[in-house]
Amino acid sequence: MAAAFANRYGSDIITAHSAGIAPAINTTPLTRKVMLEKNIDIGEHLPQPLAHFDFRHMDLIVNMSGYKIPGVYTIDWKVTDPMGRDLATFRLVRDEIEMLVMQMILRMRMGKM
């Protein structure tokens, strides 16, 4: 969700990728549904394993898992994992992530990151 919002709202300053230490093996219907409610079609997009990325070429990592990557500027977001929860929880998490992404983009545009 975060990468989709970042690429939608901040494509002039961000190229966002989604990755994880144990990335999902499928895109849940609820994730697709709540993102479509925001007019963002994520299709079958899946996060990639961390090993697929060269972190020397990244300026920032947004961490929602607690896993740290040495040598890369990281910000931590404490966001509830909605997996296994109901539609209302997916919407709350989506809206929280959207707000965090929008705040990050604003700080970047203001030169505060």
Side-chain angles (χ1 to χ4, degrees), residues 9-36:
Y9 301 145
S11 63
D12 58 316
I13 58 171
I14 294 173
T15 302
H17 303 280
S18 181
I21 54 175
I25 59 171
N26 64 0
T27 303
T28 69
L30 287 179
T31 301
R32 287 192 302 273
K33 177 179 178 57
V34 299
M35 293 304 286
L36 279 172

Side-chain angles (χ1 to χ4, degrees), residues 1-10 16 18 35 40-42 45 101:
M1 287 186 212
F5 282 127
N7 286 323
R8 170 63 60 92
Y9 301 145
S18 181
M35 293 304 286
I40 299 174
D41 184 357
I42 61 169
H45 172 78
V101 168

Side-chain angles (χ1 to χ4, degrees), residues 1-2 9 17 19 24 27-28 32-33 38 44-45 51 55 59 62 74-75 77 81 93 97 103 107 113:
M1 287 186 212
Y9 301 145
H17 303 280
T27 303
T28 69
R32 287 192 302 273
K33 177 179 178 57
K38 295 286 186 168
E44 297 296 321
H45 172 78
F55 295 102
D59 298 315
V62 174
T74 304
I75 57 175
W77 291 350
D81 184 349
V93 170
I97 291 171
Q103 290 170 348
R107 286 192 305 272
M113 286 197 95

Side-chain angles (χ1 to χ4, degrees), residues 64-77:
M64 290 191 252
S65 70
Y67 182 80
K68 301 287 186 193
I69 297 173
V72 180
Y73 177 59
T74 304
I75 57 175
D76 294 299
W77 291 350

